[in-house]
Amino acid sequence: MELITKAPRGTSDVLPKECAKWQYIEEIVRKTTKAFNYKEIKFPTFEHTELFERGVGQETDVVQKEMYTFLDKSNRSITLRPEGTAGAVRLMLENGLYGGVLPLKYYYLISCFRYEKPQAGRLREFHQFGVELFGSCEPQADAEVISLANEFLNNLKLKNIILQINSIGCKDCREKYINVLKKYFEQNKANLCETCLNRLNKNPMRILDCKIKQCGVVSKKAPVGLDYICQECNAHFEAVKQNLTAMNISFEINEKIVRGLDYYNRTVFEFISNEIGAQGTVCGGGRYDGLAYELAKENISGLGFAIGLERIILLMTAQDNQFKNSDLCDVFVANIGDMGSIEAVKLVNALRKKMICAEYDILGRSLKAQMKYADKISAKYTLVLGENEINEKKAQLKNMQTGEKTTINIENITEIIKMLR
Ligand code: HAM
């Protein structure tokens, strides 16, 4: 019989040490979103396939090549979410949330699935911290969402991340621009890759995003979208920039950012690092004022971003980020003899009831081995319960970092907790 010990390609296990990093990131997510007053939402891992086809867009790589789609036992076409925006908009529409107080400000921590060629920073199952804001078409909303992403990255103490922004205008400006762009790429057809030749009629703006060198050369000289945006879109973009500047947020304009998903209009943005290899986009987002209409004929503006958490972990590792590990054991209660073991379990049990992370020996080890173990699990404090300690009801609580010892009454849980906190 073959042993089953290999996970599917493009997935990854997270071992306890790495989990501490994930927990830290999640803590920063909660603190940052709280400061901006965004509320958490949760929605299903799978949705009707049509939601992504209509939401993300039929012509996108995500829908055409990357979705995990299958028929369920009742022959319904189901898709594992490749991203969070479509699901979040569906949640907002289905629950009629737009009928209440506006704007609606939500965040989510989710797993996503895309059938892509795995490499560093690109997985088939990956995780996103995402934010969506509904009900405001004002540029202040764009600036708020961008500043939330910026603050999150700052709070994680990550460095050398560049914010790039662009405006792809509204439907009208885009139509004008796409015509000009099509003409330009038609004239340079000979130098485009096969994928881009396919994009030429369906989605020529995506050619600007192509990572293939020869297409990049053609794109470099392509007409620039910002030259074709209407007055209103231009004023909107100017105001977004003004608001970012008012918050001291540095940014670059990159006219080549068009994003890989079809729902965007006006502001689009990415945060990019060049310290984690080819997949350097840690955050992508933008405005999508037409998506709720596309799905349910409701005119509700929307915008948001998503940050790839595996890429954040890569960056934390690359920058040797000294994160605060709150996952350490508070106290290890070592013991000698049968009586010691019983007293230790009593004490540990009482501490655990008060949410103190406490451990004692459950392997029948010698005192020396117990202390070695306490060291290995980085216990912050230790104490030893032997015959003397039990008789006198007193023990020495040792701070493992400073070596300082304090005599405590082993029956006085409140006093012990005070010491540990
Ligand atoms: P996206 O650019 O497709 O946008 O993905 C956002 C982020 O998810 C990327 O910048 C990257 O960090 C991470 N990511 C994407 N694909 C992978 C992968 N295969 N492996 C690892 N990480 C990945 C969206 O998903 C939009 N829903 C963002 C948004 C929210 N726009 C408006 N609201």
Side-chain angles (χ1 to χ4, degrees), residues 170-280:
C170 59
K171 238 184 177 167
D172 293 343
C173 6
R174 224 166 31 250
E175 214 174 281
K176 252 194 271 162
Y177 178 53
I178 283 173
N179 280 334
V180 180
L181 207 55
K182 248 188 205 165
K183 261 189 211 144
Y184 171 79
F185 283 129
E186 281 290 350
Q187 286 159 2
N188 291 278
K189 239 172 155 173
N191 296 318
L192 295 180
C193 73
E194 210 164 306
T195 318
C196 284
L197 285 176
N198 278 330
R199 286 170 174 156
L200 197 67
N201 280 321
K202 293 176 189 158
N203 201 348
M205 278 170 74
R206 291 282 288 123
I207 301 177
L208 297 172
D209 222 16
C210 183
K211 301 286 180 280
I212 293 188
K213 209 172 165 190
Q214 69 202 63
C215 301
V217 174
V218 179
S219 291
K220 225 174 185 166
K221 294 189 189 139
V224 171
L226 279 178
D227 293 341
Y228 293 86
I229 64 174
C230 65
Q231 234 175 13
E232 261 179 51
C233 288
N234 192 43
H236 190 273
F237 193 45
E238 286 305 315
V240 174
K241 291 190 278 183
Q242 200 182 20
N243 273 272
L244 291 177
T245 306
M247 288 186 277
N248 279 326
I249 297 173
S250 313
F251 58 86
E252 290 175 359
I253 310 290
N254 180 357
E255 298 98 345
K256 297 280 182 295
I257 295 184
V258 292
R259 311 275 303 125
L261 313 165
D262 268 0
Y263 43 64
Y264 293 111
N265 67 310
R266 289 193 166 168
T267 318
V268 286
F269 59 93
E270 289 181 352
F271 285 82
I272 297 162
S273 157
N274 53 23
E275 293 175 37
I276 52 169
Q279 302 302 318

Side-chain angles (χ1 to χ4, degrees), residues 37-297:
N37 202 20
Y38 282 60
K39 308 289 184 206
E40 186 171 11
I41 50 171
K42 291 182 190 286
F43 42 93
T45 309
F46 58 84
E47 298 267 3
H48 295 297
T49 302
E50 212 190 342
L51 174 71
F52 302 114
E53 288 174 345
R54 295 237 314 262
V56 174
Q58 280 285 7
E59 301 307 331
T60 58
D61 282 355
V62 169
V63 169
Q64 293 218 328
K65 301 185 203 154
E66 296 167 5
M67 294 208 302
Y68 279 89
T69 298
F70 57 94
L71 291 179
D72 72 5
K73 293 198 192 302
S74 306
N75 262 345
R76 289 185 202 95
S77 183
I78 293 293
T79 294
L80 300 184
R81 63 182 167 215
E83 57 100 55
T85 307
V89 173
R90 201 263 314 127
L91 167 149
M92 181 266 300
L93 292 165
E94 183 167 350
N95 294 283
L97 302 176
Y98 53 95
V101 181
L102 295 179
L104 302 164
K105 311 208 289 186
Y106 300 132
Y107 79 93
Y108 49 84
L109 282 159
I110 58 170
S111 51
C112 299
F113 306 85
R114 293 185 194 177
Y115 192 78
E116 292 191 270
K117 202 168 168 198
Q119 64 177 100
R122 191 163 72 193
L123 290 111
R124 291 184 173 168
E125 183 188 17
F126 60 99
H127 297 80
Q128 287 187 340
F129 154 44
V131 152
E132 313 292 349
L133 186 157
F134 300 117
S136 171
C137 53
E138 298 302 322
Q140 286 79 2
D142 305 53
E144 168 163 310
V145 163
I146 295 172
S147 75
L148 199 168
N150 188 61
E151 217 45 56
F152 169 72
L153 299 169
N154 282 344
N155 288 342
L156 282 174
K157 305 202 168 38
L158 296 172
K159 299 174 295 238
N160 311 327
I161 300 175
I162 297 163
L163 164 62
Q164 299 189 333
I165 61 170
N166 188 23
S167 174
I168 56 169
C170 59
K171 238 184 177 167
D172 293 343
C173 6
R174 224 166 31 250
E175 214 174 281
K176 252 194 271 162
Y177 178 53
I178 283 173
N179 280 334
V180 180
L181 207 55
K182 248 188 205 165
K183 261 189 211 144
Y184 171 79
F185 283 129
E186 281 290 350
Q187 286 159 2
N188 291 278
K189 239 172 155 173
N191 296 318
L192 295 180
C193 73
E194 210 164 306
T195 318
C196 284
L197 285 176
N198 278 330
R199 286 170 174 156
L200 197 67
N201 280 321
K202 293 176 189 158
N203 201 348
M205 278 170 74
R206 291 282 288 123
I207 301 177
L208 297 172
D209 222 16
C210 183
K211 301 286 180 280
I212 293 188
K213 209 172 165 190
Q214 69 202 63
C215 301
V217 174
V218 179
S219 291
K220 225 174 185 166
K221 294 189 189 139
V224 171
L226 279 178
D227 293 341
Y228 293 86
I229 64 174
C230 65
Q231 234 175 13
E232 261 179 51
C233 288
N234 192 43
H236 190 273
F237 193 45
E238 286 305 315
V240 174
K241 291 190 278 183
Q242 200 182 20
N243 273 272
L244 291 177
T245 306
M247 288 186 277
N248 279 326
I249 297 173
S250 313
F251 58 86
E252 290 175 359
I253 310 290
N254 180 357
E255 298 98 345
K256 297 280 182 295
I257 295 184
V258 292
R259 311 275 303 125
L261 313 165
D262 268 0
Y263 43 64
Y264 293 111
N265 67 310
R266 289 193 166 168
T267 318
V268 286
F269 59 93
E270 289 181 352
F271 285 82
I272 297 162
S273 157
N274 53 23
E275 293 175 37
I276 52 169
Q279 302 302 318
T281 310
V282 291
C283 170
R287 182 169 272 289
Y288 50 84
D289 295 327
L291 182 51
Y293 193 83
E294 180 61 37
L295 297 176
K297 300 240 169 327

